[in-house]
Amino acid sequence: MSPRRVIAVSCAVLLGLALAPPPAAQAASCAAYVMGYFNRSGDRYALHLAVSDDGLQWAPLNQNEPVVTPAAGTQGLRDPYILRKQDGTFVVLATGLKGRVFHQNDQYIHVWDSANLTSFTNHRRARLHTMATHSWAPEAFKVPARNAYAVIYSACNGTSNIDGNPWSPLGQRAYTPPISSKHANIIPITTAEKDALISLGGPPRWNRSKSYDFPDRYPRHSGFALRIDPLGSGSALADRQDATFMLTD
């Protein structure tokens, strides 16, 4: 995941999400993480979730299948962003785009509510502007003085230095994201919330093994031979089938 910084803010809209202070149970320290992302493999531009205990090794939920797919607009999404509201529930924002049709202007973003990220309700499309351009990669933040939330869309660039502290990417041995995950957003959750999320389709029924010498590559079969190849090419065959191994009796 590349660190990013906002360099231009175009618009902000209040979503009316100000709620009561968080309950004591929710204020407890979080022991796990949930990742929201979209997956280009197989043209599945929908919301995917994964969980992790340490933020490094990730287990996709629902067998790496989408947990929600838009039924309005382009019927696809990119760039999901998960925000925990003050009552402990969640709101999910996302770009309203399916595929890579970047010339298609869309003034709207997707918005869902969720009690625990195992179900999603109240889908609506929020219009951010009236310009002939896109609404990209929405994020949300709390405005303390107003006790409210706002949505911004902006131009962002990657950077290798934040507040004078250098950042460097983790090697593949230290970090295992979900295959073909794109534009991920990570927030802390409790152990109980992680366990509830894992019940969404159960833990993965398959395993992938990294090569020790080439940790960015995984064993896969091709032409009746075993080989190691980099994954994440966007090919459903290479990323999901040829490199997926399941335990059998």
Side-chain angles (χ1 to χ4, degrees), residues 42-241:
D43 196 31
R44 294 176 300 158
Y45 288 81
L47 175 63
H48 293 252
L49 297 177
V51 292
S52 172
D53 289 324
D54 59 6
L56 298 175
Q57 309 303 320
W58 291 91
L61 300 176
N62 199 31
Q63 306 306 314
N64 206 26
E65 294 297 324
V67 298
V68 66
T69 302
T74 62
Q75 300 184 357
L77 67 79
R78 299 170 62 102
D79 320 320
Y81 187 88
I82 303 172
L83 172 73
R84 188 190 291 276
K85 298 192 287 186
Q86 287 180 289
D87 66 347
T89 64
F90 303 88
V91 66
V92 179
L93 316 174
T95 301
L97 180 65
K98 183 176 183 179
R100 300 173 61 83
V101 190
F102 298 131
H103 66 274
Q104 179 178 352
N105 296 331
D106 193 341
Q107 302 163 347
Y108 295 81
I109 62 171
H110 294 296
V111 186
W112 285 270
D113 296 314
S114 179
N116 52 17
L117 296 180
T118 62
S119 62
F120 301 85
T121 60
N122 193 26
H123 175 242
R124 64 265 195 203
R125 297 173 69 224
R127 190 177 190 181
L128 299 188
H129 59 84
T130 59
M131 299 179 290
T133 186
H134 306 283
S135 298
W136 286 108
E139 297 184 8
F141 63 93
K142 180 182 177 183
V143 183
R146 297 181 180 179
N147 194 26
Y149 290 96
V151 174
I152 64 171
Y153 63 99
S154 60
C156 298
N157 282 341
T159 179
S160 59
N161 188 293
I162 296 180
D163 294 333
N165 297 313
W167 287 44
S168 58
L170 290 174
Q172 287 284 341
R173 287 195 181 96
Y175 178 57
T176 305
I179 295 296
S180 296
S181 56
K182 304 295 180 182
H183 209 292
N185 159 234
I186 297 171
I187 65 170
I189 56 175
T190 65
T191 299
E193 288 172 329
K194 187 198 76 170
D195 293 342
L197 282 166
I198 290 176
S199 69
L200 185 67
R205 295 188 295 266
W206 37 264
N207 292 279
R208 291 190 176 98
S209 299
K210 292 180 180 180
S211 163
Y212 180 82
D213 292 324
F214 302 94
D216 62 333
R217 303 187 181 200
Y218 293 72
R220 59 170 290 208
H221 69 85
S222 177
F224 300 98
L226 185 67
R227 53 188 288 174
I228 56 172
D229 284 334
L231 299 187
S233 65
S235 164
L237 179 64
D239 288 354
R240 301 189 62 223
Q241 299 175 17

